[in-house]
Amino acid sequence: MATAEPIIMPGYQGEAIHGPYDDPDSDSDSDADSGVPDNSDTSVEAAFERISAAAPLGWRVELVEGEICVTPPANGEHEEFVSELNRQIIRKDPDDFLFTYTGIGLNVPGASKTGHVEPDLVIAPKGSFDDQEEWHDPSSVLLVAEVTSKSTADRDRHKKIRGYARAGIPVYLLIDRQTAEVTVYSEPTGDEYTQDPKYKLGLAVPLPEPLGFELDTAEF
């Protein structure tokens, strides 16, 4: 079965969007006459809000480094990885201090504007997101994790790293299903992480502080 590709709107800055039969240089018809809405003053944020409101249930809409990205629901294998990661983290926390969250939206610093991202898994202390907001301050987040899909792998490997590092998130865990590797990014500085050791799936993967325990990736 073919994998649905995400819809990516790179660098959308509010320019008018013309259909296949529209002539943007024609003066013969106004927008009002042609029925085409004038989006020339639409900001990236406003476009993001409109697309988020129109997206089908279960689809993920993110603003990553100036790009509006719309991704369909993940397949079962992807969710098995996320669930196993969730299970291990809960078992490794004897003090019942850490909570794992899925579907949590985070505000992260973008290249020029605020980014809105929804990691596959977020680890933070209990009560970190106890509010009515859709997009949250990431200051209490201890770890974010992404599990790649074919359609999101490039974004997870490159673009999302920058926002997570700028936000000062201590650990970014990247589980790359396509390369069968796990990368543990830590010690953020500016828009990068200074530490990024890689491990083959199947090995024990040490997570640095503030986590300080190992993941058994043979279970993935």
Side-chain angles (χ1 to χ4, degrees):
M1 180 180 295
T3 302
E5 293 292 325
I7 302 168
I8 302 178
M9 302 181 68
Y12 182 82
Q13 298 296 325
E15 61 269 32
I17 300 174
H18 300 279
Y21 303 108
D22 296 326
D23 180 1
D25 298 320
S26 173
D27 295 325
S28 59
D29 294 306
S30 68
D31 284 345
D33 294 336
S34 64
V36 177
D38 181 5
N39 294 316
S40 58
D41 294 329
T42 301
S43 67
V44 175
E45 188 72 27
F48 172 79
E49 294 296 336
R50 290 180 186 177
I51 294 170
S52 296
L57 183 65
W59 288 52
R60 182 182 304 186
V61 183
E62 299 175 294
L63 181 58
V64 182
E65 296 295 289
E67 294 182 349
I68 299 173
C69 306
V70 184
T71 309
N75 61 31
E77 182 184 73
H78 177 280
E79 294 306 287
E80 287 285 344
F81 272 62
V82 175
S83 295
E84 176 60 29
L85 178 59
N86 181 55
R87 183 181 72 90
Q88 288 198 36
I89 291 169
I90 291 173
R91 289 183 173 183
K92 297 285 187 178
D93 180 28
D95 298 326
D96 198 27
F97 171 70
L98 301 178
F99 269 48
T100 56
Y101 301 87
T102 58
I104 285 291
L106 300 178
N107 287 318
V108 297
S112 58
K113 295 179 180 291
T114 299
H116 302 303
V117 295
E118 187 181 321
D120 287 323
L121 193 75
V122 173
I123 301 177
K126 179 181 179 180
S128 294
F129 309 112
D130 187 14
D131 56 42
Q132 300 297 314
E133 300 298 322
E134 181 178 0
W135 301 99
H136 302 270
D137 184 327
S139 59
S140 62
V141 173
L142 305 178
L143 177 148
V144 291
E146 300 283 4
V147 178
T148 66
S149 298
K150 289 181 180 179
S151 58
T152 65
D154 185 68
R155 192 187 318 153
D156 293 338
R157 293 173 190 147
H158 304 291
K159 294 181 180 179
K160 281 194 169 183
I161 294 173
R162 301 166 196 161
Y164 293 148
R166 292 187 198 109
I169 294 173
V171 181
Y172 171 36
L173 179 68
L174 176 63
I175 301 176
D176 196 321
R177 291 192 292 158
Q178 283 63 53
T179 64
E181 291 181 326
V182 178
T183 306
V184 182
Y185 296 93
S186 63
E187 300 183 21
T189 300
D191 59 0
E192 62 182 20
Y193 286 92
T194 59
Q195 301 297 317
D196 58 353
K198 295 182 184 293
Y199 306 86
K200 284 294 184 182
L201 274 177
L203 300 178
V205 174
L207 298 180
E209 297 296 339
L211 286 306
F213 54 77
E214 289 186 343
L215 291 175
D216 180 8
T217 67
E219 297 296 325
F220 289 100

